[in-house]
Amino acid sequence: MELTREQFEVLRYLEATHLKSPQAQVISWETGLEEPRVQRALEQLAPQGWVRENNITAEGRRALQPYRVKRAVFIAAGFGSRLVPVTLNTPKPLVRVKGVRMIDTLLDAVYAAGIQDVTIVRGYLGEQFDQLLYKYPNLKFIENPMYNEANNISSAYIARELLGNAYVLEADLVLYNPKLIQKYQYCSNYLGVPTPVTDDWCFEVDGDLITKVKVGGENCCHMYGISYWTQADGDRLAGHIQTVFKSPGGKERYWDLVPLEFFRDSYHIEVRRCTFEDIIEIDTFKDLKALDSTYRC
């Protein structure tokens, strides 16, 4: 039986909370659902045996399993030219920010969410990623020999069979809020921050639905490179990425444009809202120096 969105959100909260028998008002605060919708979901879940006295049951946990994220794929093959000189000898995801490698902030969150199937697509100075195995011994790597001649669609193309029921993460982000990487997801989505104006990549949205991706805009959502893809969408995406990659000029594309622009009508992709305090993308060496004083010497 497929869960409704409100049933899913209530079950996911009850699975994660340490509170015993939380009231509908508390669930409403934590999930963002209006209290009447929470109460309705609880009333629907109880007869199924999925909730008892506002606590999730073993049957309720089983009902969540179809929404369990199975894997994470990291896009980490690029050179990081705008972070020169620090990337001359170090891949950008391995650059330390206040003593912590960028990619560690993401990997820690992925493993904390119980996701054990983790693959990194590497290219530039790829052997340096082996150092991650000391901390994360179960990591898997895929080599991208095209990183120097193609855009990041080449990494998505190489890993295209792994995109179903998976997070896809740009490996050069610094994640401050690990709770953004969640154990369960309801639908395909991208992280985005509502903002009155941005000159960076952003989404136009209709409610939660992403309707357009562009560079620069007003009253939009600033785009961050962490997305989730259902199994069905991931299977569809594998074929669409291959089609674009093999088309004239396809190697020069950003992989995100495949579902968000070239085949937009084939997907229902939502924005998963967060804040600028949750995550940061370090684009340039100037940004890095502003964030970490050790690079100012």
Side-chain angles (χ1 to χ4, degrees), residues 156-167:
Y157 173 75
I158 288 171
R160 65 191 184 279
E161 301 299 333
L162 301 176
L163 304 182
N165 210 341
Y167 283 115

Side-chain angles (χ1 to χ4, degrees), residues 140-155:
K140 293 176 286 187
F141 299 110
I142 299 178
E143 311 299 330
N144 178 2
M146 300 176 284
Y147 74 88
N148 202 32
E149 60 188 66
N151 216 321
N152 70 1
I153 193 173
S154 62
S155 291

